[in-house]
């Protein structure tokens, strides 16, 4: 080992201040608040522009003279279930267990499969109990739900990447799981706003954005979370 | 690391003493270039310094350090490849191939044979895919457990076993050939 190496490393570290654990916790709390505010803000803005500031839509005109309405308990059940999945997704994506290298790739892969599958399964099984919600809505193919999901999830996804900062192992996979977690959070807003449970609509408007966000998360994860020489 | 993450600045020197020798050994074997190895070790420790605030209490430090070092090694290799492509007039500077052991002619035949064998083994190890080579090094040279090596490589224990086994088979073949030749 070169004689001056230790002195060089210590001097370089001293010249570059780094936050302590307490400072990182404070910063992460602030970023979480920004994430929540950006998601809720995007939802309110979208509702104001598209549906006259209605954050909760129980029903609507399927076609002229046919009105379908969701019971409140169905909204509570679907949004509550989506909330539980979102909490589990956030736990998987943001907590690293007891290792600095995060969760194993196998667990992350299982999570990537389980998040969209459980959200879709919950939405459909809850809606089956209320048959009218499953009917086709010709004028609602799902593009508004798609844009709502992406709009609501964009801020949280960037915030989650900022909280995670770096990961030396599997940055793309970690980024993809962060994308799924952001999508799961947005799913709650979409559940409140959209009364449609018609399967093609749900696949296009509710499930597809999860995968779009996962791909975006993977690309951003590879670019931002990778360990690189400075 | 725990003390350093809480803000005890003096703990970084102790952290250096605890991990630098192993880290440098790993990087020297991987790069075969002491200057690059020292540079990468410095970068690894600075990365740990920057990330100290996110250190999980009680988390093992060495697998984390090895994983960062391995990523920086990839990054360094990629940069060198790009530089070589850009400055193709410059002489080839593949630091992984610069090892040329010199056996003094005066030494006994046996020593020469051992040196040649060592050189062949190193060459065979260099020719292995990176994943197999690193799995072998982490298990055999750094003494990491299967689980620790799997964490560093971001894969399963079974995959590490398979990669290390393939490396052992390749190295054993070199030893067998040398035995037959002698």
């Amino acid at each position: 080992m070169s004689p001056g190496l230790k002195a060089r490393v210590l001097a370089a570290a001293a010249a570059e201040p780094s936050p302590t654990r307490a400072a990182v916790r404070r910063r992460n709390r602030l970023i979480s608040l920004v994430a929540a505010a950006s998601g809720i803000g995007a939802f309110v803005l979208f509702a104001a522009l598209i549906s006259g500031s209605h954050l909760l839509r129980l029903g609507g005109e399927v076609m002229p003279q046919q009105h379908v309405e969701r019971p409140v308990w169905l909204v509570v059940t679907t949004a509550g279930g989506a909330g539980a999945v979102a909490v589990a997704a956030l736990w998987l994506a943001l907590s690293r267990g007891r290792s600095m290298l995060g969760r194993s790739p196998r667990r992350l892969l299982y999570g990537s499969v389980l998040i969209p599958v459980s959200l879709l399964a919950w939405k459909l099984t809850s809606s089956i109990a209320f048959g009218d919600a499953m009917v086709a809505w010709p004028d609602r193919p799902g593009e508004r739900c798609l844009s709502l999901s992406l709009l609501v999830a964009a801020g949280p996804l960037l915030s989650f990447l900022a909280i995670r900062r770096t990961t030396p192992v599997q940055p793309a996979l970690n980024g993809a799981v962060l994308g799924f977690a952001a999508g799961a959070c947005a799913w709650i807003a979409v559940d409140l706003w959209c009364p449609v449970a018609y399967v093609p609509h749900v696949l296009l408007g509710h499930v597809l954005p999860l995968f779009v966000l996962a791909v975006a998360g993977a690309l951003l994860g590879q670019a931002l979370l990778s360990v690189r020489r400075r | 690391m725990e003390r350093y993450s809480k803000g005890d600045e003096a703990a970084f020197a102790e952290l250096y003493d605890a991990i630098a020798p192993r880290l440098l050994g790993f990087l020297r074997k991987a790069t075969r270039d002491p200057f690059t190895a020292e540079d990468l070790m410095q970068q690894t420790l600075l990365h740990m310094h920057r990330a100290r605030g996110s250190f999980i209490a009680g988390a093992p430090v060495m697998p984390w350090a090895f994983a960062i070092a391995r990523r920086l090694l990839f990054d360094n290799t990629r940069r060198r490849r790009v530089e070589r492509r850009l400055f193709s007039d410059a002489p080839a500077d593949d630091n992984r191939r610069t090892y040329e052991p010199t056996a003094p002619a005066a030494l006994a035949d046996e020593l020469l044979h051992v040196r040649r064998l060592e050189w062949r083994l190193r060459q065979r190890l260099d020719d292995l895919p990176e994943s197999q080579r690193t799995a072998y090094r982490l298990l055999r040279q750094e003494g990491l457990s299967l689980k620790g090596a799997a964490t560093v490589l971001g894969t399963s224990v079974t995959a590490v076993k398979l990669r290390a086994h393939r490396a052992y088979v390749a190295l054993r073949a070199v030893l067998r050939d040398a035995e037959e030749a002698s």
Side-chain angles (χ1 to χ4, degrees), chain A residues 2 16 18 21 96 170 229, chain B residues 5 38-39 49-50 54 154:
Chain A
S2 302
E16 192 182 333
S18 67
R21 187 181 288 154
R96 290 167 295 167
Q170 309 283 4
R229 203 193 151 119
Chain B
S5 71
E38 286 186 1
D39 181 40
H49 156 73
R50 284 181 211 118
S54 59

Side-chain angles (χ1 to χ4, degrees), chain B residues 2-154:
Chain B
E2 174 61 18
R3 274 169 43 218
Y4 191 51
S5 71
K6 284 180 179 168
D8 180 358
E9 303 297 329
F12 191 58
E14 287 174 43
L15 178 72
Y16 180 96
D17 291 336
I19 70 168
R22 273 183 82 183
L23 204 54
L24 192 60
F26 171 74
L27 287 165
R28 271 195 183 143
K29 281 169 201 151
T31 61
R32 304 281 160 76
D33 176 358
F35 298 109
T36 309
E38 286 186 1
D39 181 40
L40 289 175
M41 192 199 70
Q42 182 171 346
Q43 293 291 328
T44 305
L45 282 159
L46 283 177
H47 188 89
M48 293 171 78
H49 156 73
R50 284 181 211 118
R52 69 168 168 166
S54 59
F55 182 73
I56 299 166
V61 176
M62 269 331 280
W64 181 41
F66 280 133
I68 296 169
R70 182 169 173 253
R71 281 287 150 192
L72 289 169
L73 196 60
F74 279 154
D75 196 37
N76 187 62
T77 311
R78 196 172 48 233
R79 277 169 194 245
R80 290 211 166 192
R81 216 176 290 142
V82 172
E83 280 170 16
R84 266 207 304 275
R85 216 175 294 145
L86 286 173
F87 306 106
S88 52
D89 293 346
D93 178 30
D94 190 344
N95 57 14
R96 302 188 63 77
R97 307 281 176 195
T98 51
Y99 181 77
E100 292 289 341
T102 51
L107 284 180
D109 282 354
E110 202 173 321
L111 183 59
L112 188 66
H113 173 70
V114 170
R115 285 280 167 92
R116 276 185 183 153
L117 185 59
E118 187 193 348
W119 184 70
R120 272 188 214 135
L121 284 169
R122 278 178 191 271
Q123 223 178 15
R124 185 70 192 95
L125 199 60
D126 281 350
D127 290 340
L128 288 174
E130 192 279 335
S131 55
Q132 291 176 23
R133 191 170 55 235
T134 311
Y136 172 82
R137 282 200 174 119
L138 290 174
L139 290 175
R140 284 285 163 184
Q141 296 177 338
E142 303 306 330
L144 254 66
S145 64
L146 279 167
K147 202 177 168 191
T151 318
V152 172
L153 294 168

Side-chain angles (χ1 to χ4, degrees), chain A residues 88-123:
Chain A
L90 285 173
W91 171 79
L92 178 77
L94 290 174
S95 74
R96 290 167 295 167
R98 278 172 292 171
S99 166
M100 282 303 291
L101 300 177
R103 305 205 174 274
S104 71
R106 190 180 291 177
R107 283 192 187 181
L108 293 176
L109 278 174
Y110 288 156
S112 304
V113 174
L114 277 176
I115 293 166
V117 167
S118 49
L119 284 170
L120 177 66
W122 184 255
K123 171 84 177 168

Side-chain angles (χ1 to χ4, degrees), chain A residues 199-218:
Chain A
V199 175
H201 169 96
V202 173
L203 290 176
L204 177 71
H206 302 211
V207 177
L208 180 64
L210 289 175
F211 288 92
V212 172
L213 289 161
V215 171

